[in-house]
Amino acid sequence: RKEVEQDPGPFNVPEGATVAFNCTYSNSASQSFFWYRQDCRKEPKLLMSVYSSGNEDGRFTAQLNRASQYISLLIRDSKLSDSATYLCVVNVGGANNLFFGTGTRLTVIP
Amino acid sequence: DTGVSQDPRHKITKRGQNVTFRCDPISEHNRLYWYRQTLGQGPEFLTYFQNEAQLEKSRLLSDRFSAERPKGSFSTLEIQRTEQGDSAMYLCASSPRGNQPQHFGDGTRLSIL
């Protein structure tokens, strides 16, 4: 079983729509969680960390459910510039490395 | 620019040749990581340094691969006797400590002919 699983999409949504991505992780000892964004042929860039209490950054909201080992990302009022691949990332404590999902591809359509 | 920098951006070489990539991390970050990413996949961990010590290596890192960070600053990743399956994007990242977010460089795209 993979450490991190994501729906690869693609998600094609109109501008202004709300879209949600989900991710599950297999190791209950996982300690920190992130969403990264990756544009085509570019490096991953940190979008936001995910905290147990949930956190929001502008149009982006991240949630963590430790009991279900589940992470989500909600994007409100989608912009064309949100088109990218969104990577769910989990740090398994002590391993000092990140496990990446395969990414969910989002295309926002005018 | 104080981000992670990698060199070269692209490398095209024939099968069987050796290649070496360089990564300069963010200066105050003592942790440095190498990843490999192929099309349609997320990055896969290869190896990790804390200062000059190589603390962890993935099983993906065959004996043709070697990484160094001699002075705890920049790092090199060498692939000997390249194979077509080595074609990928090689990403370097750094962080100030283990559970902090990692910051990635632009990557080196390797193509084996």
Side-chain angles (χ1 to χ4, degrees), chain B residues 18-91:
Chain B
N18 299 343
V19 294
T20 300
F21 311 140
R22 176 178 169 129
C23 171
D24 287 87
I26 294 171
S27 59
E28 60 268 27
H29 289 182
N30 61 13
R31 285 166 166 78
L32 185 149
Y33 308 79
W34 284 99
Y35 293 85
R36 182 174 69 186
Q37 186 175 25
T38 53
L39 196 63
Q41 300 296 316
E44 295 174 296
F45 170 77
L46 292 178
T47 190
Y48 148 69
F49 290 85
Q50 183 170 326
N51 299 310
E52 65 275 12
Q54 188 174 17
L55 296 187
E56 196 159 338
K57 290 166 62 171
S58 162
R59 284 173 292 177
L60 292 175
L61 214 66
S62 76
D63 55 8
R64 296 185 298 107
F65 288 69
S66 61
E68 293 183 344
R69 194 183 183 196
K71 298 181 181 177
S73 56
F74 74 90
S75 175
T76 57
L77 177 69
E78 181 183 14
I79 309 174
Q80 296 182 325
R81 305 181 304 282
T82 52
E83 300 173 356
Q84 287 208 312
D86 297 333
S87 296
M89 173 78 91
Y90 289 84
L91 291 159

Side-chain angles (χ1 to χ4, degrees), chain A residues 2 31-32 34 36 38 41-44 46 49 87 91 93-98 100-102, chain B residues 31 33 35 37 40-43 45 48 56 89 91 98-106 109:
Chain A
K2 288 185 177 180
Q31 293 188 354
S32 51
F34 309 95
Y36 277 71
Q38 187 170 26
R41 302 179 84 83
K42 297 282 192 179
E43 76 279 17
L46 178 68
S49 301
L87 297 161
N91 186 317
N96 284 307
N97 62 69
L98 301 183
F100 286 78
T102 54
Chain B
R31 285 166 166 78
Y33 308 79
Y35 293 85
Q37 186 175 25
Q41 300 296 316
F45 170 77
Y48 148 69
E56 196 159 338
M89 173 78 91
L91 291 159
N99 282 339
Q100 295 298 305
Q102 295 177 14
H103 299 266
F104 284 81
D106 292 339
R109 184 169 297 278

Side-chain angles (χ1 to χ4, degrees), chain B residues 5 62 92:
Chain B
S5 63
S62 76
C92 176

